């Protein structure tokens, strides 16, 4: 198959291949590459795809891919590149009279304008006779000099066939939103999670810890119908957060014109949800509360159930029937939050549906066994975003078979995210 150069954004290096694989499945584009050839410190990866059209389709909604380039040549010197390009001169004829432009870039070094011009002139042997157009050119050619302290410089050359959707990061920038709160997920990661969930037209996506609704926006942008819930309705309504009095989540839905695809939001405890039995959602995308910016709560009392408090009369009306009644809550320990989330996904996802969520872990104690398991959920991706003494991991799981029972794997030891909130504020002192 023809070779192409994937030009990644040089950040979130642990997330780039999982997004590439998710888009390959979503777009039904066969992509072949050697995982061992992936270098975290490099923005380039050579892949094989059947055609330029398929390559453009693959990356059209990518967040961590800048562009994809039809491979024409590479080497340690320009002489090496020229030699490889000249081996396939029949390729040049397709663009001999087309309007064209050259984009010259460098990674790990800055090039002066004079150096860029010199690079472009070095490809004069292509003998293109069409007009040069910096906008809307029929063909765009890409040259990049890649520098790395650990490797010799490498030069890449090819024709740009498609670009990603990194412009969406600016469009969904949280600083531009009418409503946000202290738990609002940044735009880049929200969009990335929508790709991991493979959100698209015809899908029904649920966020059980919806907060200020970032994932409702991004999944709806890609065509999915979305719904969210939270035990704290203040975030949904906009009576909490940094920007109050703007109608909460609804303000953002109107701002991004996705009102028709966000079905609704509701206030309830996700571990005691009112959803009908059986599969319902095509994806669950969420950021569970793990206590760094907001502690998790669930229905209940710290001291246990006290029926006399709930059933007592207030001005002749049962307490729980009053319009201002708010059910009591208790702390929700992190390992139980994740356990219940997996139970929810196992029951409510359709087969083939995906669960995409963040898992906090302690850096020095994490092992792969800390990622919770379930008999009907298969781990697809585990990408780390480090923060020094702790990390959060974007976990992607896929439901592989119907749920026959509510059994789940019981961990042999306490996971590193158990009591995460307490450990975070105790600076992750070793557990005795």
């Amino acid at each position: 198959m023809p070779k192409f150069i994937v030009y990644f954004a040089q950040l979130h290096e642990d997330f780039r291949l999982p997004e590439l694989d998710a888009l390959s499945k979503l777009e039904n584009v066969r992509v072949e590459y050697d995982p061992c050839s992936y270098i975290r410190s490099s923005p380039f990866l050579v892949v094989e795809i059947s055609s330029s059209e398929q390559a453009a389709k693959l990356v059209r909604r990518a967040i961590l891919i800048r562009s994809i380039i039809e491979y024409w040549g590479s080497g340690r010197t320009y002489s090496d590149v020229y030699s490889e390009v000249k081996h396939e001169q029949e390729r040049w004829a397709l663009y001999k009279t087309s309007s064209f432009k050259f984009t010259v870039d460098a990674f790990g070094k800055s090039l002066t304008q004079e150096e860029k011009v010199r690079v472009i002139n070095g490809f004069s042997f292509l003998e293109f006779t069409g007009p040069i157009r910096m906008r809307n050119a029929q063909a765009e050619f890409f040259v990049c000099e890649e520098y790395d302290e650990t490797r010799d410089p490498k030069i890449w050359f090819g024709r740009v066939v498609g670009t990603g959707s990194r412009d969406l990061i600016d469009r969904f920038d949280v600083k531009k939103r009418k409503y946000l709160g202290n738990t609002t997920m940044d735009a880049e990661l929200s969009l990335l999670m929508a790709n991991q969930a493979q959100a698209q037209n015809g899908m029904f996506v649920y966020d059980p810890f919806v907060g200020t609704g970032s994932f409702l926006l991004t999944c709806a942008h890609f065509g999915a119908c979305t719904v969210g819930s939270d035990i704290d309705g203040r975030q949904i309504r906009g009576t909490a957060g940094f920007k109050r009095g703007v109608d909460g989540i609804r303000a953002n839905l109107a701002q991004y014109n996705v009102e028709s695809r966000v079905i609704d939001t509701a206030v309830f405890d996700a571990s005691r949800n009112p959803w009908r039995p059986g599969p319902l959602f095509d994806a669950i995308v969420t950021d569970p509360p793990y206590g760094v910016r907001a502690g998790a709560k669930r229905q209940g009392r710290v001291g246990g159930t006290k029926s006399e408090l709930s059933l007592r009369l207030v001005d002749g009306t049962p307490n729980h029937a009053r319009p201002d009644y708010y059910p009591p809550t208790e702390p929700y320990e992190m390992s139980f939050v994740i356990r219940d989330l997996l139970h929810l996904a196992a029951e409510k996802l359709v087969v083939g549906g995906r669960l995409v969520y963040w898992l906090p872990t302690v850096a020095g104690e994490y092992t792969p066994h800390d990622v919770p398991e379930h008999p009907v959920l298969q781990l697809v991706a585990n990408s780390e975003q480090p923060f020094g003494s702790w990390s959060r991991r974007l976990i992607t799981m896929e439901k592989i078979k119907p749920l026959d029972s509510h059994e789940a794997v019981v961990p042999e030891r306490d996971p590193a995210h158990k009591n995460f909130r307490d450990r975070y504020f105790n600076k992750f002192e070793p557990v005795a």
Side-chain angles (χ1 to χ4, degrees), residues 177-180 237-239 243-252:
R177 293 187 198 173
K178 292 183 177 179
Y179 174 61
L180 73 156
R237 294 187 294 267
T239 55
K243 297 181 180 180
R244 305 184 185 187
V246 294
D247 205 20
I249 288 178
R250 291 182 182 178
N252 289 341

Side-chain angles (χ1 to χ4, degrees), residues 107 175 267 429:
F107 177 77
K175 295 179 182 178
V267 180
E429 291 293 332

Side-chain angles (χ1 to χ4, degrees), residues 50-321:
S50 61
S51 68
S52 298
E53 293 74 20
Q54 289 290 91
K57 181 182 177 184
L58 172 70
V59 306
R60 61 185 176 182
R61 56 178 278 181
I63 302 304
L64 297 181
I65 296 174
R66 296 183 185 277
S67 59
I68 191 163
I69 299 130
E70 182 182 56
Y71 180 92
W72 281 33
S74 65
R76 298 298 178 187
T77 67
Y78 277 100
S79 295
D80 294 337
V81 177
Y82 300 154
S83 177
E84 187 171 1
V85 172
K86 290 175 181 178
H87 275 306
E88 296 191 42
Q89 297 189 22
E90 67 278 2
R91 193 181 269 166
W92 310 354
L94 298 174
Y95 311 101
K96 187 173 182 63
T97 60
S98 300
S99 61
F100 70 96
K101 65 178 285 188
F102 267 73
T103 297
V104 181
D105 201 357
F107 177 77
K109 179 184 176 180
S110 295
L111 298 179
T112 65
Q113 192 61 32
E114 291 76 12
E115 289 173 321
K116 291 180 179 181
V117 171
R118 189 159 55 248
V119 168
I120 294 172
N121 289 337
F123 287 91
S124 60
F125 64 86
L126 295 172
E127 298 182 334
F128 293 146
T129 59
I132 298 172
R133 290 183 182 162
M134 301 312 294
R135 291 186 178 182
N136 301 318
Q138 293 173 304
E140 177 183 354
F141 296 92
F142 175 82
V143 188
C144 186
E145 298 180 6
E146 180 186 6
Y147 294 85
D148 191 304
E149 294 179 356
T150 63
R151 305 191 314 276
D152 293 332
K154 188 168 186 177
I155 302 157
W156 301 88
F157 178 66
R159 180 178 66 91
V160 177
V161 299
T163 57
S165 289
R166 288 187 59 76
D167 58 300
L168 292 177
I169 298 172
D170 180 66
R171 179 181 174 188
F172 284 92
D173 187 350
V174 296
K175 295 179 182 178
K176 298 180 179 180
R177 293 187 198 173
K178 292 183 177 179
Y179 174 61
L180 73 156
N182 64 341
T183 60
T184 299
M185 180 66 64
D186 77 73
E188 187 169 30
L189 293 175
S190 297
L191 290 159
L192 176 64
M193 291 174 71
N195 278 344
Q196 285 296 104
Q198 300 175 336
Q200 59 181 313
N201 289 331
M203 286 183 61
F204 191 20
V205 179
Y206 173 45
D207 182 356
F209 304 100
V210 70
T212 58
S214 291
F215 307 134
L216 302 187
L217 294 175
T218 55
C219 290
H221 168 78
F222 288 120
C225 290
T226 63
V227 64
S229 68
D230 205 295
I231 195 172
D232 186 352
R234 295 173 300 174
Q235 294 275 8
I236 295 174
R237 294 187 294 267
T239 55
F242 298 152
K243 297 181 180 180
R244 305 184 185 187
V246 294
D247 205 20
I249 288 178
R250 291 182 182 178
N252 289 341
L253 304 186
Q255 179 182 354
Y256 291 100
N257 195 29
V258 293
E259 296 159 294
S260 64
R261 290 193 291 276
V262 178
I263 306 302
D264 209 344
T265 53
V267 180
F268 57 78
D269 180 351
S271 67
R272 300 179 181 180
N273 65 78
W275 301 119
R276 63 171 169 78
L280 181 60
F281 304 113
D282 298 291
I284 295 175
V285 183
T286 194
D287 181 22
Y290 36 87
V292 174
R293 288 179 287 184
K297 298 285 185 180
R298 63 179 172 185
Q299 279 186 259
R301 285 189 170 88
V302 176
T305 300
K306 297 178 181 179
S307 58
E308 67 275 10
L309 295 179
S310 297
L311 300 179
R312 69 183 179 182
L313 297 179
V314 179
D315 297 330
T317 302
N319 191 23
H320 67 280

